Amino acid sequence: MLVGLARDAQLFNFDSDWLWMPSCKTSICRRACLVFYQNPTSPGEEDLFTVFNVNSNYLSFKREWLSKLKKVVVLQLGRWQSSPTHHIEVDDEGLFLKGIGAQHYLSFKYLSLRGISGITRIPSCIFNIISLEILDLRACHNLETLPSDISSLRKLTHLDISECYLLEGMPKGIGKLSSLQVLKGFLIANLKNTPSRLGDLAKLKKLRRLSIYIGTEAVMHDKEFETLKEISSLRRLKISWAVVSPKLKEQIAHQSLDFSFPPDLEKLDLQGIPVKEVPPWLNPRQLTNIKKLYIRGGELCSLDHAGEETVTECKWRVEILRLKYLSNMKIELPKVEDQFPHLLYLEKVKCHEKDIFWSKSQGQKLSNC
């Protein structure tokens, strides 16, 4: 029924050879799909609203074709699937992207290059599309360089550059993206390659979700993480550490006292935390409204603070606690039950002891698991 209605409404053209598969033909509708090894070449490119990569894993079309898409709104060239096994390649290191000229795109709102391998740099013309609202560059594993200034994208609400592990640094002007609500993959690297720092994000009054990646060459300013508390709209925060050198690990340990968080933060996700003792900032006094706490990977041994009082106001308000891949982590369940009195769900996977999946709705006390 869904396919039939979509066909009747000319939402997509469906290939007669593949009964339920959208087609790359553009002659009878204004949405084209990239399917297998086909590329849309039919007349009518100038009137297309959408180009969507259904399952093509190899992109090979000329930049001249992109330059004809003067009315496009959505350009989904990357994968839509969440699994990294859906691999997409290009044959020209992404040079076809230069066919996107800002002067042609007055209604262009969405661009996704997610999971495309082989793109080493993003051309400056992409950062000049002032109508763009969503830019998804996630998991472009060969991406090394972004244009130097992103401040023209004032309408941008979502920017995802996470899992781009070869990226050298962040562009300047992020603090001027006043509409930004979601920023994933903000890289802290060396000072030369990162003109945008955490302090610039305090200017983003609509930012709700932020993920930070601390790279192997990271150089952090003194008290840089104190500026996090100034992002008052932030509700979800993720911090990931790369495999760090002993020197950087020592620096992180010294700077751990400088972390401060927004008062209304609800979710904190920590990946690869490179210290064994629980840092002073990871405590319920500072994270008063946290409902979800995820800790995955790293060297953390315990959640206990030396000499911590057990008064009511010092206990966590966390409802969902996930601990994964913490080979040094030792947990005493009665102590967890005491420190997390509001806990509804606990997931402990591949830590020091046996795996635990506990839900309060099952009626079993946590200490009996």
Side-chain angles (χ1 to χ4, degrees), residues 72-119:
V72 74
V73 178
V74 172
L75 196 56
Q76 173 83 35
L77 300 180
R79 68 169 193 255
W80 55 269
Q81 301 92 337
S82 59
S83 172
T85 58
H86 293 275
H87 188 68
I88 302 174
E89 295 185 5
V90 292
D91 62 353
D92 60 358
E93 296 187 353
L95 293 177
F96 68 90
L97 292 173
K98 292 185 177 181
I100 299 179
Q103 71 276 13
H104 294 141
Y105 297 93
L106 302 177
S107 57
F108 194 6
K109 295 183 178 181
Y110 178 103
L111 173 62
S112 173
L113 305 175
R114 174 180 294 207
I116 299 180
S117 179
I119 297 177

Side-chain angles (χ1 to χ4, degrees), residues 231-290:
I231 314 175
S232 58
S233 58
L234 197 63
R235 296 295 181 269
R236 297 186 175 194
L237 174 63
K238 176 180 176 181
I239 304 175
S240 303
W241 286 265
V243 178
V244 298
S245 64
K247 181 179 179 181
L248 180 57
K249 189 181 299 185
E250 184 179 350
Q251 184 184 8
I252 292 170
H254 285 310
Q255 292 190 331
S256 62
L257 292 170
D258 299 331
F259 274 72
S260 294
F261 299 97
D264 296 321
L265 192 67
E266 297 173 353
K267 178 181 177 181
L268 179 62
D269 187 344
L270 304 172
Q271 291 192 6
I273 187 166
V275 292
K276 293 184 177 181
E277 296 184 1
V278 61
W281 47 265
L282 188 56
N283 72 79
R285 288 185 295 270
Q286 194 164 344
L287 296 160
T288 54
N289 289 309
I290 287 289

Side-chain angles (χ1 to χ4, degrees), residues 217-235:
E217 298 181 357
V219 176
M220 292 174 284
H221 293 151
D222 288 339
K223 300 185 178 181
E224 182 166 10
F225 280 88
E226 279 196 351
T227 59
L228 286 173
K229 65 183 178 184
E230 299 175 22
I231 314 175
S232 58
S233 58
L234 197 63
R235 296 295 181 269

Side-chain angles (χ1 to χ4, degrees), residues 318-349:
V318 169
E319 296 175 354
I320 299 176
L321 177 62
R322 285 190 165 100
L323 307 171
K324 292 185 176 182
Y325 314 115
L326 297 161
S327 57
N328 298 325
M329 175 72 76
K330 296 181 180 179
I331 296 177
E332 299 178 26
L333 294 181
K335 189 173 290 188
V336 172
E337 199 169 37
D338 178 63
Q339 293 176 351
F340 295 83
H342 303 280
L343 200 62
L344 301 177
Y345 180 80
L346 170 65
E347 183 176 305
K348 184 171 74 71
V349 178

